[in-house]
Amino acid sequence: MVQPNLIMLVLAAIFVNNYILSQFLGICPFFGVSKKVETAAGMGAAVIFVMSLAAAITYFVYNLILVPLEIKYLYNIAFILVIAALVQLVEMFLKKSSPSLYQALGVYLPLITTNCAVLGVAVVNMQRNYTFIASVLNGFGGAVGFALAIILFAGIRERIEFNNIPKAFLGFPIALVAATLMSIAFLGFQGLITL
């Protein structure tokens, strides 16, 4: 098992290896839920919960079930089942506790199940052979990076809405330009932290 410097691992997951802006995973909710900051913050919180728990649970599923039974090749199916169960828990909780946020997230909440950023964290933890603590912290850092990116992007999109933009760039095209510029800005963190 590999135990990297845990503080650097979290910082790298947030800034350097950001799943959205550096690895381009989780783009669907990034564009779909980032029109309002409140909705983006709700999605970010849901992803933090799901991704952190998924990192912990998939560690045990892989190391205590798949490896001893010599069925490691089923890791994708096992990880997706774990993530789907966690998303169902989040969905039930939000439906009862915050119906307005549940409605605002709409179809994007169940899409966390197939959010490749959540699956990506579980696969990266497995491939890098992280310890349990490192796996959970990598999942948490990746989720915080996801939330940071989506909330910042939602703020940018809210401000862009009131600007005078050429007709050809209205809507999704200007969102793509803004996402590109954010990605370039996050590339500035490359090389600061190496694991």
Side-chain angles (χ1 to χ4, degrees), residues 15-46:
F15 297 110
V16 178
N17 302 321
N18 187 290
Y19 282 94
I20 293 177
L21 300 173
S22 295
Q23 300 182 27
F24 308 112
L25 297 174
I27 297 294
C28 177
F30 179 66
F31 283 110
V33 184
S34 62
K35 291 179 183 170
K36 300 281 182 223
V37 171
E38 296 82 24
T39 309
M43 176 59 94

Side-chain angles (χ1 to χ4, degrees), residues 68-145:
L69 294 176
E70 297 180 8
I71 52 173
K72 294 187 286 189
Y73 56 89
L74 293 176
Y75 71 89
N76 273 331
I77 295 169
F79 292 175
I80 289 172
L81 288 174
V82 167
I83 293 165
L86 290 172
V87 169
Q88 287 300 312
L89 289 173
V90 170
E91 196 170 1
M92 288 187 298
F93 175 77
L94 285 179
K95 195 172 188 179
K96 291 287 184 191
S97 67
S98 181
S100 60
L101 179 59
Y102 176 78
Q103 289 297 324
L105 291 175
V107 71
Y108 294 100
L109 185 59
L111 283 178
I112 295 175
T113 301
T114 57
N115 185 336
C116 50
V118 180
L119 181 61
V121 165
V123 172
V124 164
N125 290 340
M126 176 201 66
Q127 288 175 340
R128 293 185 182 162
N129 202 23
Y130 282 156
T131 63
F132 174 72
I133 299 294
S135 294
V136 172
L137 288 177
N138 187 46
F140 176 75
V144 169

Side-chain angles (χ1 to χ4, degrees), residues 20-21 26-45 101 104-105 145-163 171 174-180 182-183 186:
I20 293 177
L21 300 173
I27 297 294
C28 177
F30 179 66
F31 283 110
V33 184
S34 62
K35 291 179 183 170
K36 300 281 182 223
V37 171
E38 296 82 24
T39 309
M43 176 59 94
L101 179 59
L105 291 175
F146 183 96
L148 175 70
I150 199 169
I151 292 168
L152 287 174
F153 189 58
I156 291 169
R157 286 183 78 177
E158 281 184 358
R159 287 183 159 257
I160 287 174
E161 203 174 293
F162 301 109
N163 291 330
I174 195 68
L176 287 173
V177 171
T180 301
M182 271 187 72
S183 183
F186 268 70

Side-chain angles (χ1 to χ4, degrees), residues 43-67:
M43 176 59 94
V47 168
I48 288 172
F49 177 78
V50 170
M51 199 179 282
S52 299
L53 275 178
I57 295 171
T58 56
Y59 173 86
F60 289 119
V61 167
Y62 183 75
N63 289 299
L64 298 179
I65 298 173
L66 300 180
V67 171

